[in-house]
Amino acid sequence: MTRRPNIVYIMSDDHASNAISCYGSRLSSVFETPNLDRIAREGVRMDHYYSTNAICTPARATIMTGQYGHINGVRTLSDAWNPAKGPNMAELFMQHGYETAIFGKWHLHCEPSGFYEYSVLTGQGGQGTYQNPEFISTDGQSRQHTGYVTDIITDMTVDWLQKRAQRDSEKPFFLMCHHKAPHDFWEYAARHEHLLDGIQVPVPESLFEDKCHRSSASRNYGSSVTPRNAARSLYADFCEEDYVTGPLRGTEHLTFEEKGFAAYQKYLKDYLRTVAGIDDSVGRILAQLEAAGELEQTIILYTSDQGMFLGEHDYQDKRWSYEESLRAPLLIRYPQEIPAGRVCTDLMANLDMAPTLLDYAGIPVPEVMQGVSQRDVIRGETETEVRSSIYFRYWMHLAHKHDNPAHYGIRTKEYKLIYYYGLPLDASGALQTPTPTGWELYDMVADPYELCNLYEDTRYADVIQSLKEKLGQLKALYHDDDLQYPELLEMLDVDSVT
């Protein structure tokens, strides 16, 4: 009997695809991630992998359940997951003979379920701290560890792999290594303090974007890098004397653009130095698997809970459904099945992660999971796409001073249609202030950086109608028809014909 594969699932927090050099972004000319690149070089790079809700806790719940947040109960950062109320990927692995463990960031506001062993960050709402973090473990005890969080999580992961190798277990394993980094506010390991010194990080063309093409629903919202809005700007944070990696100085007499450039440089260098620690971690895990002779029979995945804005559109953070936020990196190495150096451009959602991993393990996928296995797509053995479109939704209206309006929409290979409904509805943690409604349409082939909203262009009337029909079909398919929100449906009827 062929042994079922081990699975090592490595996930960071807020890691943009643009900050992994194998994705070939503007940053690859000044910043390299050799260990992450190795996974892509020896496996597959997924170019269109999306979070269905670009924010941490809901994304993590969807990954574990294969369900949208309105089904699994986790729509916002304030919602706690209840593993007893639905499918749990880890529990299924455990039930089918896998050793299971998780180390690092959990952030689902409940005790990890489905793991024989765990040690997860506690404090700061489950975020933990970069320096001397505290973890709660399987025995229920909280312990503070000395050192840098990425290194500590890696130590835990590698130690578990070493002990398992010593036991010579016949069971396959499912191991999750979840990093806190590079979530803000960025703190890097001391060894990376001078990385990128003397280097100018390339600036995105949209750093000073004129957003007049946007709908009024998004145009003046969101948190920026530049001094565009002092109340919602990283520039203002960076100028504080107690900023964690030191303040920006000497910007008082600079022009607006010069201040924006200075803030961008600090943002990117702090962020990329933090990412460098993640790449080190991946290298250590690969080395341990190789030393134990388990690398070739182990599926290695690297991903993030969602993407992250690195100055594109003058945005920081995530939450928006523009590409840099909605799209997450996904690299997979499994030479027994995946050709080396493969690049896959098919659509995949984080909704599909649990069904896909269960498929690799030969475990039946529960019917209540809304995702689909992408195994054949990943190995390149299907001529038709498993997904022609992805439905996404952000519920946490205007929360946490990031100022992102509530919205939903659809992403196809060719287009993206977004509807900003601008209401808190009953989403926990959402602010009660309504914002303007509006539609936006982007041609993702001709305009991949989403710099030209086409919704008012009459040449796209048929495209818009077709996308709205498909959007309605997806909302019905996923049981997110909003019938419980008559105020939203009434508003939508008006907006759809204007």
Side-chain angles (χ1 to χ4, degrees):
M1 179 178 175
T2 303
R3 178 176 169 175
R4 292 177 294 170
N6 304 317
I7 299 173
V8 176
Y9 178 93
I10 309 170
M11 184 165 72
S12 56
D13 192 308
D14 297 349
H15 192 176
S17 300
N18 284 342
I20 300 177
S21 50
C22 68
Y23 276 95
S25 80
R26 68 185 186 280
L27 302 178
S28 61
S29 63
V30 297
F31 179 72
E32 294 185 350
T33 49
N35 296 302
L36 290 167
D37 292 357
R38 177 187 172 184
I39 300 176
R41 185 174 64 252
E42 298 176 359
V44 63
R45 186 188 81 202
M46 305 295 288
D47 279 5
H48 291 293
Y49 174 67
Y50 294 92
S51 177
T52 52
N53 183 353
I55 192 168
C56 304
T57 304
R60 291 163 187 269
T62 290
I63 287 163
M64 294 302 296
T65 65
Q67 295 177 327
Y68 280 93
H70 61 276
I71 300 296
N72 65 36
V74 184
R75 300 180 300 175
T76 78
L77 290 176
S78 302
D79 296 327
W81 180 39
N82 184 348
K85 287 192 173 181
N88 174 357
M89 173 169 61
E91 190 73 42
L92 289 166
F93 275 106
M94 178 185 280
Q95 291 171 3
H96 287 82
Y98 270 71
E99 292 188 58
T100 58
I102 182 171
F103 303 103
K105 182 174 177 177
W106 177 239
H107 203 207
L108 284 169
H109 311 305
C110 67
E111 181 182 0
S113 173
F115 301 97
Y116 287 108
E117 186 174 347
Y118 67 80
S119 190
V120 296
L121 287 163
T122 186
Q124 296 194 355
Q127 293 282 0
T129 58
Y130 272 103
Q131 306 295 339
N132 304 325
E134 188 173 280
F135 291 78
I136 188 167
S137 300
T138 320
D139 60 7
Q141 298 298 309
S142 293
R143 299 176 181 87
Q144 189 172 29
H145 294 249
T146 301
Y148 181 63
V149 67
T150 302
D151 295 339
I152 293 167
I153 293 168
T154 308
D155 289 343
M156 291 176 174
T157 303
V158 171
D159 287 348
W160 188 88
L161 287 168
Q162 288 174 339
K163 290 174 182 176
R164 185 190 176 281
Q166 292 166 4
R167 293 198 309 272
D168 195 25
S169 173
E170 290 299 313
K171 283 186 172 184
F173 63 82
F174 174 64
L175 172 63
M176 304 188 90
C177 172
H178 285 195
H179 287 293
K180 168 185 172 63
H183 191 282
D184 65 8
F185 288 99
W186 308 279
E187 295 183 50
Y188 41 80
R191 64 184 178 276
H192 294 131
E193 182 174 1
H194 297 293
L195 180 69
L196 300 171
D197 279 0
I199 291 175
Q200 284 196 356
V201 180
V203 176
E205 293 182 6
S206 58
L207 180 61
F208 298 106
E209 177 187 353
D210 181 350
K211 296 189 176 75
C212 287
H213 67 95
R214 294 272 196 89
S215 70
S216 61
S218 75
R219 188 181 305 142
N220 297 314
Y221 295 90
S223 50
S224 62
V225 177
T226 72
R228 191 183 302 271
N229 184 325
R232 298 183 272 112
S233 173
L234 268 182
Y235 173 81
D237 291 332
F238 288 156
C239 290
E240 295 291 334
E241 286 295 323
D242 61 350
Y243 188 77
V244 64
T245 57
L248 270 176
R249 300 187 186 278
T251 64
E252 297 84 358
H253 304 294
L254 299 181
T255 65
F256 169 81
E257 288 77 9
E258 289 169 339
K259 289 178 180 178
F261 181 78
Y264 172 81
Q265 292 297 314
K266 179 165 183 55
Y267 179 1
L268 266 291
K269 290 182 180 182
D270 282 1
Y271 180 88
L272 295 176
R273 288 165 181 158
T274 307
V275 168
I278 298 290
D279 192 69
D280 292 346
S281 171
V282 170
R284 288 184 57 196
I285 293 170
L286 290 173
Q288 171 56 37
L289 290 167
E290 207 156 20
E294 293 188 304
L295 184 60
E296 301 310 302
Q297 61 197 43
T298 300
I299 299 171
I300 308 287
L301 296 96
Y302 180 81
T303 188
S304 177
D305 47 4
Q306 66 274 314
M308 185 72 168
F309 286 106
L310 303 180
E312 300 90 358
H313 310 289
D314 191 19
Y315 286 147
Q316 53 160 305
D317 202 64
K318 55 271 183 181
R319 303 173 190 244
W320 292 107
S321 291
Y322 303 115
E323 287 293 281
E324 293 83 4
S325 171
L326 197 68
R327 184 172 73 123
L330 178 57
L331 310 172
I332 311 173
R333 183 191 188 277
Y334 187 42
Q336 293 188 29
E337 190 169 300
I338 300 172
R342 175 167 158 71
V343 176
C344 180
T345 60
D346 288 33
L347 296 175
M348 180 176 177
N350 62 353
L351 194 70
D352 304 328
M353 182 60 74
T356 300
L357 296 184
L358 294 172
D359 188 0
Y360 277 117
I363 299 172
V365 178
E367 291 185 4
V368 293
M369 285 190 174
Q370 297 175 299
V372 293
S373 173
Q374 296 265 8
R375 184 177 178 180
D376 288 343
V377 170
I378 290 167
R379 62 187 174 190
E381 291 189 2
T382 178
E383 295 182 1
T384 58
E385 292 179 323
V386 170
R387 284 197 174 278
S388 61
S389 57
I390 293 172
Y391 171 63
F392 54 83
R393 184 165 190 168
Y394 175 74
W395 292 84
M396 209 168 186
H397 183 64
L398 301 184
H400 301 150
K401 298 182 180 180
H402 285 296
D403 223 24
N404 302 85
H407 61 272
Y408 60 70
I410 182 175
R411 170 65 155 99
T412 69
K413 288 292 289 290
E414 294 81 20
Y415 295 100
K416 183 184 292 177
L417 181 69
I418 307 171
Y419 177 57
Y420 293 97
Y421 57 89
L423 294 174
L425 303 177
D426 57 354
S428 57
L431 299 191
Q432 297 301 305
T433 305
T435 56
T437 62
W439 291 90
E440 293 180 8
L441 172 71
Y442 296 95
D443 182 333
M444 302 309 302
V445 177
D447 179 29
Y449 301 117
E450 296 162 298
L451 298 175
C452 183
N453 171 29
L454 299 169
Y455 188 77
E456 301 298 333
D457 190 328
T458 56
R459 292 174 297 177
Y460 290 85
D462 290 343
V463 170
I464 291 169
Q465 182 60 35
S466 175
L467 288 171
K468 285 183 177 180
E469 290 174 1
K470 182 63 176 177
L471 178 59
Q473 293 166 6
L474 291 180
K475 287 180 71 64
L477 174 66
Y478 296 125
H479 308 292
D480 194 29
D481 51 24
D482 290 324
L483 293 178
Q484 69 274 41
Y485 306 122
E487 69 275 33
L488 173 54
L489 295 179
E490 180 179 352
M491 191 168 60
L492 178 62
D493 286 341
V494 174
D495 287 339
S496 293
V497 297
T498 57

